[in-house]
PDB file of all heavy atoms in Angstrom:
ATOM      1  N   VAL A 916      -3.235 -27.675 -15.942  1.00 91.00           N
ATOM      2  CA  VAL A 916      -2.140 -26.714 -15.553  1.00 91.00           C
ATOM      3  C   VAL A 916      -1.456 -27.213 -14.256  1.00 91.00           C
ATOM      4  O   VAL A 916      -0.253 -27.189 -14.118  1.00 91.00           O
ATOM      5  CB  VAL A 916      -2.647 -25.306 -15.446  1.00 91.00           C
ATOM      6  CG1 VAL A 916      -1.584 -24.408 -14.850  1.00 91.00           C
ATOM      7  CG2 VAL A 916      -3.183 -24.801 -16.681  1.00 91.00           C
ATOM      8  N   SER A 961      24.683 -18.777   1.340  1.00 80.00           N
ATOM      9  CA  SER A 961      25.472 -18.915   2.568  1.00 80.00           C
ATOM     10  C   SER A 961      25.151 -17.738   3.483  1.00 80.00           C
ATOM     11  O   SER A 961      25.095 -16.599   3.043  1.00 80.00           O
ATOM     12  CB  SER A 961      26.959 -18.935   2.261  1.00 80.00           C
ATOM     13  OG  SER A 961      27.729 -18.868   3.404  1.00 80.00           O
ATOM     14  N   PRO A 997      -9.304  39.335  20.313  1.00 94.00           N
ATOM     15  CA  PRO A 997     -10.179  40.497  20.255  1.00 94.00           C
ATOM     16  C   PRO A 997     -10.785  40.608  18.892  1.00 94.00           C
ATOM     17  O   PRO A 997     -10.153  40.215  17.862  1.00 94.00           O
ATOM     18  CB  PRO A 997      -9.189  41.624  20.564  1.00 94.00           C
ATOM     19  CG  PRO A 997      -8.134  41.054  21.340  1.00 94.00           C
ATOM     20  CD  PRO A 997      -7.940  39.658  20.781  1.00 94.00           C
ATOM     21  N   ALA A1020     -23.681  26.866  -7.500  1.00 92.00           N
ATOM     22  CA  ALA A1020     -23.227  26.149  -6.320  1.00 92.00           C
ATOM     23  C   ALA A1020     -22.939  24.669  -6.680  1.00 92.00           C
ATOM     24  O   ALA A1020     -23.615  24.089  -7.575  1.00 92.00           O
ATOM     25  CB  ALA A1020     -24.247  26.194  -5.202  1.00 92.00           C
ATOM     26  N   GLU A1027     -20.492  25.211   7.536  1.00 94.00           N
ATOM     27  CA  GLU A1027     -20.571  26.112   8.667  1.00 94.00           C
ATOM     28  C   GLU A1027     -19.541  25.783   9.755  1.00 94.00           C
ATOM     29  O   GLU A1027     -19.217  24.614   9.911  1.00 94.00           O
ATOM     30  CB  GLU A1027     -21.938  26.178   9.294  1.00 94.00           C
ATOM     31  CG  GLU A1027     -23.037  26.614   8.311  1.00 94.00           C
ATOM     32  CD  GLU A1027     -24.445  26.666   9.000  1.00 94.00           C
ATOM     33  OE1 GLU A1027     -24.528  26.079  10.077  1.00 94.00           O
ATOM     34  OE2 GLU A1027     -25.298  27.250   8.391  1.00 94.00           O
ATOM     35  N   PHE A1042      -6.297  29.365  -0.967  1.00 93.00           N
ATOM     36  CA  PHE A1042      -7.417  29.629  -0.033  1.00 93.00           C
ATOM     37  C   PHE A1042      -6.966  30.256   1.292  1.00 93.00           C
ATOM     38  O   PHE A1042      -7.496  31.321   1.650  1.00 93.00           O
ATOM     39  CB  PHE A1042      -8.230  28.346   0.227  1.00 93.00           C
ATOM     40  CG  PHE A1042      -9.624  28.515   0.716  1.00 93.00           C
ATOM     41  CD1 PHE A1042     -10.677  28.460  -0.099  1.00 93.00           C
ATOM     42  CD2 PHE A1042      -9.812  28.874   2.070  1.00 93.00           C
ATOM     43  CE1 PHE A1042     -11.960  28.635   0.394  1.00 93.00           C
ATOM     44  CE2 PHE A1042     -11.074  29.092   2.547  1.00 93.00           C
ATOM     45  CZ  PHE A1042     -12.179  28.992   1.715  1.00 93.00           C
ATOM     46  N   TYR A1065      -7.375  17.203  -9.489  1.00 82.00           N
ATOM     47  CA  TYR A1065      -8.353  17.120  -8.464  1.00 82.00           C
ATOM     48  C   TYR A1065      -9.215  15.833  -8.798  1.00 82.00           C
ATOM     49  O   TYR A1065      -9.503  15.496  -9.937  1.00 82.00           O
ATOM     50  CB  TYR A1065      -9.248  18.290  -8.482  1.00 82.00           C
ATOM     51  CG  TYR A1065     -10.183  18.473  -7.235  1.00 82.00           C
ATOM     52  CD1 TYR A1065      -9.599  18.619  -5.957  1.00 82.00           C
ATOM     53  CD2 TYR A1065     -11.538  18.343  -7.342  1.00 82.00           C
ATOM     54  CE1 TYR A1065     -10.393  18.721  -4.800  1.00 82.00           C
ATOM     55  CE2 TYR A1065     -12.349  18.453  -6.218  1.00 82.00           C
ATOM     56  CZ  TYR A1065     -11.757  18.645  -4.946  1.00 82.00           C
ATOM     57  OH  TYR A1065     -12.502  18.720  -3.856  1.00 82.00           O
ATOM     58  N   LEU A1070     -14.718  19.355 -11.343  1.00 89.00           N
ATOM     59  CA  LEU A1070     -14.031  20.496 -10.737  1.00 89.00           C
ATOM     60  C   LEU A1070     -12.602  20.678 -11.095  1.00 89.00           C
ATOM     61  O   LEU A1070     -11.955  21.634 -10.752  1.00 89.00           O
ATOM     62  CB  LEU A1070     -14.149  20.380  -9.180  1.00 89.00           C
ATOM     63  CG  LEU A1070     -15.559  20.384  -8.561  1.00 89.00           C
ATOM     64  CD1 LEU A1070     -15.580  20.186  -7.077  1.00 89.00           C
ATOM     65  CD2 LEU A1070     -16.303  21.692  -8.955  1.00 89.00           C
ATOM     66  N   ALA A1222      -8.136  -5.656   7.103  1.00 93.00           N
ATOM     67  CA  ALA A1222      -9.605  -5.445   6.884  1.00 93.00           C
ATOM     68  C   ALA A1222     -10.099  -4.197   7.590  1.00 93.00           C
ATOM     69  O   ALA A1222     -11.086  -3.618   7.209  1.00 93.00           O
ATOM     70  CB  ALA A1222     -10.291  -6.645   7.464  1.00 93.00           C
ATOM     71  N   ALA A1304       1.835  -1.728  -2.268  1.00 31.00           N
ATOM     72  CA  ALA A1304       0.693  -1.053  -1.754  1.00 31.00           C
ATOM     73  C   ALA A1304      -0.427  -1.960  -1.367  1.00 31.00           C
ATOM     74  O   ALA A1304      -0.571  -3.015  -1.976  1.00 31.00           O
ATOM     75  CB  ALA A1304       0.175  -0.009  -2.782  1.00 31.00           C
ATOM     76  N   ALA A1307      -6.127  -3.241  -1.120  1.00 25.00           N
ATOM     77  CA  ALA A1307      -7.483  -2.759  -0.811  1.00 25.00           C
ATOM     78  C   ALA A1307      -7.732  -1.272  -0.844  1.00 25.00           C
ATOM     79  O   ALA A1307      -8.772  -0.749  -0.789  1.00 25.00           O
ATOM     80  CB  ALA A1307      -7.869  -3.137   0.670  1.00 25.00           C
ATOM     81  N   ALA A1321      -4.652  15.886   0.944  1.00 33.00           N
ATOM     82  CA  ALA A1321      -4.028  14.938   1.755  1.00 33.00           C
ATOM     83  C   ALA A1321      -2.531  14.914   1.437  1.00 33.00           C
ATOM     84  O   ALA A1321      -2.107  15.105   0.307  1.00 33.00           O
ATOM     85  CB  ALA A1321      -4.630  13.515   1.459  1.00 33.00           C
ATOM     86  N   ALA A1326      -0.606   8.392   0.459  1.00 27.00           N
ATOM     87  CA  ALA A1326      -1.287   7.505  -0.576  1.00 27.00           C
ATOM     88  C   ALA A1326      -0.813   6.087  -0.192  1.00 27.00           C
ATOM     89  O   ALA A1326       0.248   5.857   0.168  1.00 27.00           O
ATOM     90  CB  ALA A1326      -0.724   7.936  -1.896  1.00 27.00           C
TER      91      ALA A1326
END
Side-chain angles (χ1 to χ4, degrees):
V916 173
S961 172
E1027 297 180 349
F1042 196 102
Y1065 194 66
L1070 296 177

